[in-house]
């Protein structure tokens, strides 16, 4: 029987957003290529990389997670994906 391994991990990173240095805790799931048959035809879909923010804090320890707009979350997630920390 197949064994499923949960690749979801909590990571910690730092990013600069509009000149403000932030500490970020987030779930990270790496992308995964779905299985292929012997001719390379997909048998299951590929899974994209996932970054899901848990908390965002200032270096002073203030939790600002609930103060951020969706656009700020998207910018932070893009920076974490690209390694632009």
């Amino acid at each position: 029987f197949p064994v499923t391994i949960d690749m979801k991990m909590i990571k910690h990173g730092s990013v600069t957003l509009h000149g403000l240095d932030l500490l970020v805790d987030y779930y990270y799931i790496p992308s995964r290529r779905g299985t292929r048959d012997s001719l390379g035809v997909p048998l299951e879909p590929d899974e994209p990389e996932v970054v899901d923010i848990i908390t965002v804090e200032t270096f002073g320890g203030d939790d600002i997670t609930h103060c951020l707009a969706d656009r700020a979350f998207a910018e932070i997630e893009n920076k974490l994906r690209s390694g632009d920390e």
Side-chain angles (χ1 to χ4, degrees):
F1 72 175
V3 176
T4 303
I5 298 173
D6 186 8
M7 298 298 291
K8 192 177 225 184
M9 296 185 266
I10 296 177
K11 293 194 165 207
H12 313 283
S14 61
V15 298
T16 300
L17 186 66
H18 306 293
L20 184 61
D21 294 328
L22 303 170
L23 299 171
V24 184
D25 291 333
Y26 60 100
Y27 290 112
Y28 175 76
I29 304 171
S31 61
R32 189 181 77 77
R33 182 180 163 129
T35 57
R36 307 287 195 260
D37 69 13
S38 60
L39 298 175
V41 176
L43 298 174
E44 61 184 23
D46 296 342
E47 296 176 11
E49 173 183 56
V50 174
V51 172
D52 187 19
I53 295 173
I54 303 167
T55 60
V56 179
E57 295 181 351
T58 65
F59 271 81
D62 297 318
D63 185 343
I64 62 169
T65 309
H66 301 291
C67 301
L68 297 173
D70 290 341
R71 185 175 58 196
F73 276 104
E75 283 185 60
I76 293 169
E77 289 171 354
N78 288 336
K79 286 177 178 276
L80 293 169
R81 276 190 195 94
S82 69
D84 184 18
E85 299 179 28

